[in-house]
Amino acid sequence: MNTDLDDPRLTAVGLLAEAHTGLMNRLATQFEQHRLSSVEFEVLTRLARSPGDRLRMTDLAGQTTLSTSGVTRVVDRMERDGLVRREACPSDRRSSYAVITEAGQDRLAQVLPGHLELVQRWYVGLLPEGRLDDLLDSLRTIRDAVNPCATAGSAETVTQA
């Protein structure tokens, strides 16, 4: 068996996984303080950044780490909490939209300042000056290859993430 455990490709994947886990752990406490899970925060953010503050449920699944059934369960819970609502899709009776409500917008507005502070402290603020654009370009290239559905329903794929 010919294996190269020092292969930089292994290092790249390992570092990405470790960075993601560490960052999510740093953000988790702040989400809990606002009675949100990281997935619920992601759903609110995706909806608020989408045209009309809404996404088809299938597009929301493509933009998150959830399956279609997982999105349904999360949206059900968030709908009970008044953070989102469902709307029927006029062009396809099989589809529905998740729409952020005013209460969801308010919750997001409460969480966002602290979230951005943490992101600055533990992520983008650690990068050398001018490297954020390079990082965003690299992440979009990888995302578009491995998850081409991630921009479905977005107005502008350049600003969506």
Side-chain angles (χ1 to χ4, degrees):
M1 182 165 141
N2 185 12
T3 59
D4 181 6
L5 296 177
D6 293 327
D7 190 312
R9 294 172 293 186
L10 289 175
T11 303
V13 169
L15 287 171
L16 178 62
E18 291 168 13
H20 177 265
T21 299
L23 183 58
M24 292 301 103
N25 289 340
R26 299 284 182 173
L27 300 175
T29 301
Q30 195 239 357
F31 292 143
E32 290 169 11
Q33 290 170 345
H34 291 278
R35 301 174 325 278
L36 284 176
S37 69
S38 61
V39 169
E40 291 167 333
F41 174 79
E42 185 176 11
V43 166
L44 291 177
T45 303
R46 299 285 178 164
L47 295 176
R49 295 183 69 192
S50 296
D53 295 331
R54 68 186 191 163
L55 282 169
R56 285 185 332 158
M57 295 286 282
T58 53
D59 295 338
L60 185 57
Q63 290 188 25
T64 62
T65 57
L66 297 169
S67 64
T68 4
S69 61
V71 163
T72 298
R73 286 190 298 276
V74 168
V75 168
D76 285 346
R77 184 173 61 243
M78 294 176 76
E79 192 171 31
R80 282 192 301 273
D81 293 341
L83 302 174
V84 299
R85 70 176 185 279
R86 281 197 175 89
E87 286 181 1
C89 178
S91 61
D92 183 356
R93 290 192 296 190
R94 295 169 298 163
S95 295
S96 63
Y97 287 97
V99 183
I100 190 169
T101 63
E102 189 174 326
Q105 293 276 12
D106 290 345
R107 181 77 62 84
L108 188 57
Q110 293 168 6
V111 177
L112 204 52
H115 178 74
L116 291 174
E117 276 182 32
L118 291 172
V119 168
Q120 180 65 31
R121 179 177 181 191
W122 296 110
Y123 186 36
V124 299
L126 299 172
L127 300 174
E129 186 74 28
R131 295 286 299 271
L132 180 57
D133 288 339
D134 292 340
L135 175 65
L136 294 175
D137 288 344
S138 297
L139 290 172
R140 280 190 185 99
T141 298
I142 296 165
R143 186 260 335 258
D144 292 349
V146 299
N147 189 7
C149 297
T151 59
S154 300
E156 294 184 31
T157 58
V158 173
T159 59
Q160 297 295 310

